[in-house]
Amino acid sequence: MKLFFPNGEHPQALLSTGENRVGNASTAQIALTAPNIVAAHCTIELDESEAVTLLPGDGVTTVNGKPVATATPLRAGDLLGFADVQARLVAVEKAGLSSVPRPAPVDDSGATRVRMAVPKLVLRGVSGAAFGKTFPISGPVVIGRQADCDISIPSEEISRRHAQLKPTPAGLAVEDLGSSNGTYINGKRVQSGLMRPGEELRLDTIRFLLVAPGLEMPGTTRPATAASAAVTAVSAAPKRSGAGGVIAVVVLVLAAAAAAGWYVFLR
């Protein structure tokens, strides 16, 4: 477990097993120098089973906005307040022990091995805490900040249980679960909606792209701008020499500009 300070009062602090003292004393494991922080502000205890408990001290401490007066169990996603300083408790994924894979035994029964099916839909993170990560969607999943969500994104912008995603034959069904900052499909806020491969899912500032392995995503064609239309017209103009050629080019440029202006007026 670690503490993340969204306002930058302290770098991310990895909790050690045992007592983690919080305060403005130089001996505190998490030393804070902000106003209203006292020497023995509180203690965060982490046991061998990764259970976290907040032990109040001499300072004002809150958990999810509620003052703490007794030992209080904590879980990933809780917002802690040390006077005016806020910190989020975040779970830390532990890397598994590496081992040399053993060759699979050969099956001589004559049966053909069935290859694992490739997921039909995959979410690819393209911004924020999800950038570069992929999430196969093979059944209904809940995406949110809580550690027990099917897709857990430790970001301040995402609600504890932000949205539910369900694969369907037509695409990915998206349902907002009462989030604070909203769920968007291609920039439009929705309570429920359908995504297709190539479209974007946005949870406040965290963006995902929906892809279907093995299928090409539909491209997008943008209308030509007035400038590009004029350049195209000039490039396509027949090459003429002398004053007649210059006049022809000027006429084509003026015509292209007028057409572009009429297009903008109609829009």
Side-chain angles (χ1 to χ4, degrees), residues 71-105:
T72 302
L74 302 177
R75 62 180 181 177
D78 282 341
L79 182 64
L80 312 183
F82 311 117
D84 299 325
V85 178
Q86 290 192 335
R88 181 77 63 181
L89 184 64
V90 180
V92 178
E93 294 182 2
K94 291 186 176 181
L97 297 176
S98 60
S99 59
V100 179
R102 297 180 179 179

Side-chain angles (χ1 to χ4, degrees), residues 75-262:
R75 62 180 181 177
D78 282 341
L79 182 64
L80 312 183
F82 311 117
D84 299 325
V85 178
Q86 290 192 335
R88 181 77 63 181
L89 184 64
V90 180
V92 178
E93 294 182 2
K94 291 186 176 181
L97 297 176
S98 60
S99 59
V100 179
R102 297 180 179 179
V106 178
D107 184 3
D108 293 329
S109 63
T112 301
R113 178 185 297 178
V114 178
R115 185 181 297 276
M116 291 291 290
V118 176
K120 294 182 178 180
L121 297 173
V122 174
L123 275 184
R124 179 188 300 160
V126 295
S127 73
F131 179 78
K133 298 180 180 179
T134 56
F135 307 95
I137 309 295
S138 56
V141 298
V142 172
I143 182 170
R145 192 180 67 240
Q146 263 184 198
D148 60 354
C149 288
D150 302 296
I151 300 177
S152 179
I153 307 295
S155 174
E156 292 292 316
E157 295 89 353
I158 294 183
S159 296
R160 291 173 179 270
R161 292 172 59 85
H162 199 108
Q164 185 176 54
L165 315 176
K166 294 181 180 179
T168 71
L172 188 65
V174 179
E175 180 182 358
D176 186 86
L177 298 179
S179 66
S180 299
N181 294 324
T183 300
Y184 299 78
I185 297 178
N186 293 334
K188 181 180 178 181
R189 186 165 184 168
V190 298
Q191 177 59 41
S192 61
L194 180 68
M195 285 183 66
R196 294 178 174 83
E199 296 185 332
E200 180 187 88
L201 172 67
R202 179 163 66 86
L203 310 181
D204 192 52
T205 61
I206 307 298
R207 297 185 295 115
F208 303 87
L209 188 67
L210 182 63
V211 298
L215 296 180
E216 290 187 3
M217 292 183 295
T220 56
T221 303
R222 297 183 179 180
T225 62
S228 63
V231 172
T232 303
V234 173
S235 301
K239 304 299 181 182
R240 299 181 182 178
S241 60
V246 173
I247 293 173
V249 170
V250 172
V251 170
L252 283 174
V253 170
L254 292 176
W262 181 248

Side-chain angles (χ1 to χ4, degrees), residues 47-65:
D47 66 17
E48 297 290 344
S49 64
E50 293 290 314
V52 186
T53 304
L54 178 65
L55 306 175
D58 299 332
V60 176
T61 308
T62 61
V63 175
N64 298 324

